[in-house]
Amino acid sequence: MKAHLTRRYRFSASHRLHSDAFSAQENRTVYGKCNNPHGHGHNYALEVTVSGPVNDRTGMVCNLVDLDGFVEREVLSRYDLENLNMLQEFARNVPTTENLCVEIFEILQRGFPHAHLERVRLEETMLNSFEYAGGVEIAP
């Protein structure tokens, strides 16, 4: 029996949406108030969905201690209370929440072997959320 597990985490980070490939006017046009030179912050809600067979002994898809420990160590400790623009992964990529979602997915995909990673969902505001499933289409 295959089951899905979604776990929710929270972290805060700041960013400035700005591309060196754009002129100052293009940056203001494309990113609007998010291009503020001083940046701005978000209280992100991260959802990680994994799947797999339910273990007959434990009754779980994966041990929550393993998932929580990995996310804390590899994701939350990396991004919480950080200015995303200062991190290596955003040296060439604009630190949009879409790009952050992809980065988090790739960290989990590379390093969490205890269940199959289905998707990462990142809520930026009450009105904006983003999902990434490794290039696999996500059904609405």
Side-chain angles (χ1 to χ4, degrees), residues 1-9 46-54 60-68 70-71 75 104-105 107-121 132-133:
M1 171 176 68
K2 178 181 176 178
H4 289 79
L5 162 68
T6 300
R7 192 78 164 156
R8 193 170 177 95
Y9 306 92
L46 167 65
E47 291 181 2
V48 174
T49 301
V50 296
S51 68
V54 175
M60 298 185 294
V61 170
C62 73
N63 189 323
L64 292 178
V65 172
D66 293 335
L67 182 58
D68 289 350
F70 184 87
V71 171
V75 177
I104 293 170
F105 183 94
I107 289 168
L108 286 155
Q109 184 71 36
R110 283 191 307 266
F112 188 73
H114 303 289
H116 175 74
L117 179 61
E118 291 287 338
R119 71 177 175 92
V120 167
R121 179 177 178 271
Y132 183 68

Side-chain angles (χ1 to χ4, degrees), residues 24-113:
Q25 182 56 49
E26 285 175 306
N27 272 296
R28 284 190 296 275
T29 300
V30 171
Y31 299 119
K33 67 181 180 178
C34 295
N35 183 245
N36 178 339
H38 303 290
H40 63 283
H42 296 285
N43 294 315
Y44 292 99
L46 167 65
E47 291 181 2
V48 174
T49 301
V50 296
S51 68
V54 175
N55 182 294
D56 289 335
R57 264 184 85 220
T58 66
M60 298 185 294
V61 170
C62 73
N63 189 323
L64 292 178
V65 172
D66 293 335
L67 182 58
D68 289 350
F70 184 87
V71 171
E72 174 63 40
R73 189 174 55 256
E74 302 296 330
V75 177
L76 302 181
S77 68
R78 177 168 191 79
Y79 297 118
D80 191 33
L81 303 177
E82 292 294 328
N83 177 342
L84 300 177
N85 296 81
M86 304 305 287
L87 300 178
Q88 180 181 355
E89 55 265 48
F90 297 112
R92 291 194 172 100
N93 291 324
V94 178
T96 61
T97 302
E98 293 93 321
N99 284 335
L100 179 57
C101 201
V102 170
E103 289 294 329
I104 293 170
F105 183 94
E106 290 176 355
I107 289 168
L108 286 155
Q109 184 71 36
R110 283 191 307 266
F112 188 73

